[in-house]
Each structure stands twice: as C-alpha cells, then as structure tokens.
Amino acid sequence: MCTIPGLHEHFSWKEKLYLNNTKQISRFTLEAAMLSLVFLFTPIISYASCKNDSISVHCGKTPTSVFDEKGTLWIAFAQQGHVYVSHSDDLGKHYTTPIKVNPNPQKIYTNGENRPKIQIANHHVFVSWTEKTPGRFTGDIHFSRSINGGISFEPVKTINDDGLPIGHRFDAMTVTPSGTIYIAWLDKRDSHAAKQRNQEYAGISIYYAISTDQGKTFSNNIKIAEHTCECCRIAITSTGVDNATVMWRHIFTGGYRDHAIATLNQEKPTALHRATVDQWKTDACPHHGPSIDMTPHNSIHLAWFSNGDLHKGIYYGNYSTSLKSTNNIISIDHSPHASHSQVVEFHNIVWFVWKSFEKGQSVLKVRYSLDKGVHWSNADIIASTQANSDHPLLIHDHNNIYISWQTTNEGLRLIPLYVDSENTN
Amino acid sequence: MMRKLLLCCVLFSSVCIADSLTLQRWDTTSFSHLKQKYRQHAFLLVIWSLDCPACFKEFTALSRWKEQYPDSNLVLVSTDASEMQDDVIGVLNEYGLNNADVWIFSNENKATLRNSIDTNWFGELPRSYFINIQQKTFSHSGALTSNQLSQWQRIISTVKTLSQ
C-alpha cells in the first residue's frame, strides 16, 4: 500500500540492520537523502479548506495521531470547544466524521505543548485533555473513553481530585501492555498551599493517576515530585508490562531548569533522578518539553531542548535505567531555530525528528541511528511549510513509521519515514 | 459641577484607555519600524505570552517601573494568536501597562516573526531587549527584576543628562 516504486530494493529494513558501521551509515545517508527527495515531491493529501469552519483533522487544533493494532489511524483534536475523534483506514486519505468527546463546550488548551491525547487498547479509545478553567494558568484534566470503537464516548471524568480551582495542566497519557492507563500532569496544589502559608515556592508539582479497569475508574492522585517547571509538556512511555516512565523539566536546587525522570507503578513513583545536566539557570518559560521512548535494552531514548551553560539546542541521550544516568549525549541541532523534537525506536532504528526554520520556511528535519543512538545520520529536511505549524509527532504501525504534522496551509500530513516493502501489501 | 466632571475623568481615565486600547499587529517589518520610531531614544522591548507564568512575574516589576517612570519607552509584544487579543488587552489593563506601545503577533508564521526579531533567540519567554540611544541591543531571557529595571533607568537618565 505504501511502497514507493523503485526504492523498495534500497530500503528493506533487514538490510538496514546490517549497516552498522560509519561507512555503511554514509551509504544509508545517501539513500535516505534520495528517499527524502522523493517525499518532497510526493503530492500531499488534499487539504480541505477551513474557511467554512468545517470540523476536521485538518482544520481543528493540535491533532494527535496514533495507530491501533490493526493499522487504523486515530486522531484526537480540538475545535470550537470540543475534543473530537476521527479515524482513517487508508493512512489519512479519508477520515470518518469526527465524533464529539465532550458534549458541553469547554475552553481547551491547544498550544502545542498542551494538546488532546489519544490511546487505543483492547478496542477501546481513550482520550485525555486539559480544560482551561476560569483564572490564570488554571485547568482541569479530563478523560473519556469509547468502548464501542469510537462511535460514542462516555461521560467526561475529571482526573484531578483536589477540587481546587487551580492549575492542573499538561496531561500526558500512556497505556501499558497489561492495559493500565497512566495519566500524569503538572499540578499547582502544593504551590497553592505554600502561597496560602505565605511561603516562597519554586515551580509547581507533577502528579499522576492510574486506571486498572480500562478507564472505568481512576485511582486517587499520587504525587511524583514537587518543584517542576510550569509550562513544558511531560514525556511519558510505558515501561515493562505494567509501569510507566515520565520525564519533565524540573527546577533543581539553584534554579536550574534541567530534566528529571521517574518510573511510576500502580502504587507509587520511584525517587526522581536527574536525566539531564545542562545547567540552564533561568526564570523563563521554555514552552519546550522533552520526549522519551523505552528501548528493549534497559535504557530510554531521550530527546530534549536546553539553553543551558553546558548544552544549547536539541539533544539526544540514552538514559540507563540501571545506572540512573544519561550517556551518549549527542547534539542533534544547536541552532536557535531547532525545536520540539521527538525520538522513537522502530525496528532497531532510532528516529529523531524536530522542527526548524530555514530560508523563510518552517521545516521538519530527521536524523536516524542504526546502532541504538551511538552514531547518527546527517540531518535531512523531509517537509516544509510557509505558514504556522504544530509540533511534529512520530507514530508507527506494525510495519511503517510516519511523522504526523499539521500545518495551516497543508492541513494534517502523514509523512512516511520508512517503508517496509516486504511487509506491505 | 466642573470639578466633579474633572474628578470623574481622572478616576475613569484608565477605563477609557482600556476600552480604546488596540494592539498593533507585529509583522516582519515592525522591529525596524520601531527602531526608526525610537531613533535617538532608548527603549525596552519585552516579548511575552498569556501562557507564560514568568511573564506575569515580570509584569509586576514592569508595572511598578512604568508607574514610577511613565515617560520611559516600553514596547510589549504578545506572541499569542490574534484570537486571544481580548485576553491580552485584559492583562495589559490589569497591570496598568496599557500606556505602553502594545503589539500582538500577526498571523504570519511565528517562526518567521521570531526570526525577524532575533535569529539567536530560542523562543523562551519573557525575552527582553534593551535598546540604547545608539541602538545597541542587549538581550535577556527570563523575568526582569525591579533591580534590573532600575539599572536600566539609571543608564537612560545618565545618558539623557549628558546629552542635555
């Protein structure tokens, strides 16, 4: 279905696995460059005009994409006060009529770092988002599920359980292989309490809740850590059969806004560990959260941004879950335009995507590693736009990996990064 | 009667300003136009957004500074989407910063607009540029403190005195 004529003989994923030294990576770089050129000239999926306010994945805000087990593409997005879910059986050529998740309109956070989330497990569709409530930097974390294949959604639940009209924002959701749903978010309850006591308090906190009955009910809120940065997305990934790992921008002693990481289980989190040492001492809002992906080798791929004394720009690192430290730190792009990176390992290739700005255009760039993040290809531009654009998201089904990217001029694009011709019809 | 009317005008003058406050659209030419407008004058350019807690911390200091030195040249540029204009105006009124030179990003590509201000800026907010009388620019990321603003004011005042 996705094979690009004339290239499949160059891009068998099995062949790539044998290309594991620098010289061979260079050859692969050349091939990837060819592939990029092909994608640049591949006609994009037609983009419906948004002038009539039609509800669609192209016109809505911050569409988040994910594949289910069968390869169906699911999208959650926000538009006109509602979160909608739509799906596509033909890789985004056609989408189903969007289904409203929250029946009553809400102000929904859609600034890129804050966006509706969607996960599919056991034929259920799980959606979380943050509602903007009255007040400044305030919000509630909501969840709803569909147990009939996305035909309708159950009544909306509020996950934060403190009942306070304060900040609960930047939700992040993952589902473990055992089916446990983890939702983590940034929470102001501890800073609010400190303020009530007239005490100084750096940043806010990070909390989570879990569901072990496929989203029917959720646990009480559990604190992960205090003193987090207030305005960056949280990265979350499932770990092992039943746990999850979160990475976030933390405020370490001295006001350093570097990253922390912790593993969550059904009862409590592990102690936090420092994932990055960038020495970024600032009292600014980066609006620039990290990305993580679990590897099969007891380590976690990290992607992050810093403007610290030690590191400036977009970085890759490999966090060892046994040593509790990050190794193999690679500067992916040090230019000030590099932003909103994501890292995913797929079929033994580590993919790294981010946004940049070149020659008056926003561009998507990709680098990849064939040896678990030790060596990296050169950067390739694989898409561009003249107008505003959302953050890029790396998603994959069983056989292929794509970037999901919505841009004002082109709508939602699904850009293939890798075509496994042997496993594609 | 006349005195009462005058008192009402003084009391409600800020409300009058609030109601009539309009934001100028920041495009790729705005920074060079600003430099032209403030030629021979020092000015402080602050870039901020509604979703930036550190910006509000800075606004408290800016508000105090602007109240103390109403003639100082302050330019505030919001990076929010134009549909958030009313919220932006609300914040400016709340902090008494409606007498500054106020702007909001146009609908052009945000990356283009950012690049037109500073090619070395990573996008963190608040971002401030102190532009002196010779149009030399000093940039700063993070919330400005009252102390930093006082230092800036001293520099402006000293230069003014020397040039008189």
Side-chain angles (χ1 to χ4, degrees):
Chain A
M1 185 155 59
C2 294
T3 306
I4 293 185
L7 283 177
H8 63 275
E9 65 272 26
H10 298 292
F11 286 93
S12 150
W13 67 270
K14 286 177 183 167
E15 182 189 352
K16 288 174 193 166
L17 301 183
Y18 292 107
L19 304 176
N20 57 0
N21 63 43
T22 311
K23 197 173 175 183
Q24 286 165 324
I25 286 176
S26 300
R27 177 190 155 200
F28 185 60
T29 304
L30 182 66
E31 291 172 339
M34 289 163 59
L35 184 64
S36 304
L37 280 173
V38 171
F39 288 140
L40 279 176
F41 293 105
T42 302
I44 58 165
I45 295 159
S46 64
Y47 169 46
S49 167
C50 294
K51 284 177 185 163
N52 57 2
D53 286 339
S54 58
I55 305 294
S56 86
V57 298
H58 301 295
C59 307
K61 289 186 174 173
T62 53
T64 302
S65 315
V66 68
F67 282 105
D68 69 13
E69 282 288 303
K70 292 179 183 167
T72 299
L73 175 67
W74 291 83
I75 317 283
F77 62 96
Q79 197 169 357
Q80 296 174 15
H82 298 276
V83 174
Y84 287 91
V85 168
S86 179
H87 63 272
S88 168
D89 290 322
D90 56 9
L91 295 170
K93 288 187 183 73
H94 305 92
Y95 286 96
T96 57
T97 303
I99 302 295
K100 211 177 262 183
V101 178
N102 54 313
N104 301 317
Q106 301 174 343
K107 280 188 174 178
I108 296 162
Y109 278 105
T110 55
N111 62 3
E113 293 288 280
N114 246 317
R115 59 194 308 128
K117 314 295 183 311
I118 184 166
Q119 292 286 330
I120 318 292
N122 300 320
H123 311 294
H124 291 0
V125 183
F126 305 129
V127 182
S128 73
W129 69 95
T130 303
E131 177 192 2
K132 167 86 187 79
T133 52
R136 191 155 291 146
F137 311 122
T138 53
D140 283 330
I141 307 299
H142 293 305
F143 172 89
S144 180
R145 68 173 187 171
S146 169
I147 55 172
N148 57 11
I151 295 169
S152 63
F153 282 82
E154 292 186 349
V156 174
K157 294 182 198 313
T158 301
I159 302 301
N160 44 287
D161 62 4
D162 56 357
L164 294 170
I166 57 169
H168 317 88
R169 306 192 300 155
F170 296 93
D171 57 296
M173 176 171 62
T174 193
V175 184
T176 66
S178 66
T180 303
I181 304 168
Y182 285 81
I183 299 180
W185 66 92
L186 298 181
D187 195 305
K188 230 170 178 170
R189 71 185 74 177
D190 298 310
S191 77
H192 176 73
K195 201 175 176 184
Q196 302 289 99
R197 298 189 300 266
N198 288 320
Q199 288 175 346
E200 286 283 314
Y201 191 95
I204 55 175
S205 304
I206 178 170
Y207 277 72
Y208 76 107
I210 63 154
S211 172
T212 54
D213 56 8
Q214 302 193 336
K216 193 174 174 188
T217 61
F218 276 83
S219 70
N220 293 335
N221 295 178
I222 306 166
K223 189 191 294 185
I224 302 172
E226 294 190 38
H227 306 301
T228 69
C229 193
E230 297 176 54
C231 47
C232 293
R233 72 183 178 194
I234 300 166
I236 191 165
T237 187
S238 66
T239 308
V241 176
D242 207 32
N243 296 337
T245 297
V246 283
M247 178 179 174
W248 68 95
R249 191 181 297 281
H250 197 73
I251 305 176
F252 289 96
T253 305
Y256 293 101
R257 295 196 187 221
D258 294 348
H259 294 87
I261 198 163
T263 297
L264 319 177
N265 64 34
Q266 291 188 3
E267 284 86 37
K268 59 180 184 180
T270 60
L272 73 88
H273 294 277
R274 192 159 180 160
T276 70
V277 182
D278 310 309
Q279 299 296 87
W280 191 11
K281 185 169 183 161
T282 185
D283 192 9
C285 292
H287 294 113
H288 212 145
S291 162
I292 55 176
D293 193 39
M294 197 73 204
T295 78
H297 333 287
N298 290 327
S299 67
I300 302 171
H301 298 298
L302 313 180
W304 76 95
F305 159 78
S306 182
N307 193 11
D309 289 343
L310 299 181
H311 297 135
K312 287 185 196 298
I314 299 285
Y315 282 81
Y316 166 84
N318 193 279
Y319 180 80
S320 164
T321 52
S322 53
L323 299 172
K324 311 290 184 205
S325 64
T326 301
N327 308 302
N328 189 33
I329 296 168
I330 307 281
S331 170
I332 294 289
D333 186 345
H334 63 269
S335 88
H337 304 299
S339 66
H340 305 300
S341 55
Q342 201 188 356
V343 64
V344 166
E345 180 171 339
F346 176 70
H347 285 177
N348 289 326
I349 300 173
V350 189
W351 293 93
F352 197 110
V353 62
W354 72 102
K355 232 164 69 160
S356 190
F357 183 77
E358 283 186 8
K359 296 175 186 167
Q361 295 191 109
S362 290
V363 296
L364 277 193
K365 289 186 167 184
V366 168
R367 292 179 71 176
Y368 53 84
S369 168
L370 303 178
D371 53 8
K372 302 177 177 53
V374 178
H375 299 95
W376 287 83
S377 70
N378 293 327
D380 280 318
I381 293 175
I382 53 148
S384 64
T385 188
Q386 294 282 354
N388 279 315
S389 58
D390 191 12
H391 298 358
L393 301 173
L394 277 168
I395 58 169
H396 61 82
D397 56 16
H398 287 301
N399 301 321
N400 305 312
I401 185 161
Y402 304 85
I403 301 173
S404 165
W405 194 36
Q406 192 204 46
T407 53
T408 302
N409 284 355
E410 292 85 7
L412 181 65
R413 283 187 264 182
L414 197 62
I415 303 159
L417 277 180
Y418 169 61
V419 178
D420 180 7
S421 57
E422 291 176 11
N423 288 310
T424 308
N425 295 324
Chain B
M1 182 65 191
M2 198 60 192
R3 194 177 291 173
K4 276 183 183 170
L5 198 65
L6 194 66
L7 185 67
C8 277
C9 277
V10 170
L11 280 174
F12 294 106
S13 59
S14 61
V15 177
C16 295
I17 290 169
D19 285 343
S20 61
L21 186 65
T22 50
L23 304 175
Q24 300 162 82
R25 300 289 155 147
W26 186 272
D27 63 28
T28 50
T29 64
S30 299
F31 200 15
S32 52
H33 286 154
L34 263 187
K35 284 179 177 170
Q36 189 65 24
K37 177 180 172 182
Y38 291 108
R39 203 157 38 107
Q40 306 296 326
H41 298 281
F43 69 102
L44 172 59
L45 168 67
V46 172
I47 304 163
W48 68 287
S49 82
L50 290 168
D51 200 23
C52 160
C55 298
F56 285 79
K57 196 173 161 185
E58 177 174 283
F59 270 17
T60 305
L62 279 176
S63 176
R64 227 175 284 140
W65 175 65
K66 191 67 179 154
E67 198 181 344
Q68 205 176 345
Y69 304 102
D71 294 336
S72 54
N73 297 315
L74 175 63
V75 181
L76 295 171
V77 182
S78 155
T79 63
D80 296 288
S82 53
E83 68 209 44
M84 302 304 289
Q85 177 170 288
D86 290 348
D87 292 329
V88 169
I89 290 172
V91 170
L92 296 171
N93 288 332
E94 184 186 330
Y95 283 86
L97 292 167
N98 40 27
N99 53 352
D101 201 346
V102 289
W103 300 72
I104 190 166
F105 266 21
S106 69
N107 289 331
E108 283 183 65
N109 187 345
K110 279 194 173 192
T112 311
L113 296 176
R114 209 175 90 191
N115 195 59
S116 73
I117 298 167
D118 182 356
T119 54
N120 290 315
W121 172 32
F122 281 85
E124 66 279 6
L125 295 173
R127 177 79 165 172
S128 306
Y129 296 90
F130 297 92
I131 296 145
N132 73 10
I133 202 162
Q134 287 92 26
Q135 303 227 318
K136 275 190 180 165
T137 303
F138 307 91
S139 60
H140 174 83
S141 286
L144 291 171
T145 62
S146 293
N147 199 25
Q148 286 168 312
L149 290 167
S150 299
Q151 281 176 14
W152 172 240
Q153 192 60 44
R154 273 200 296 275
I155 294 167
I156 301 170
S157 304
T158 310
V159 172
K160 252 187 193 167
T161 311
L162 289 174
S163 60
Q164 278 167 2

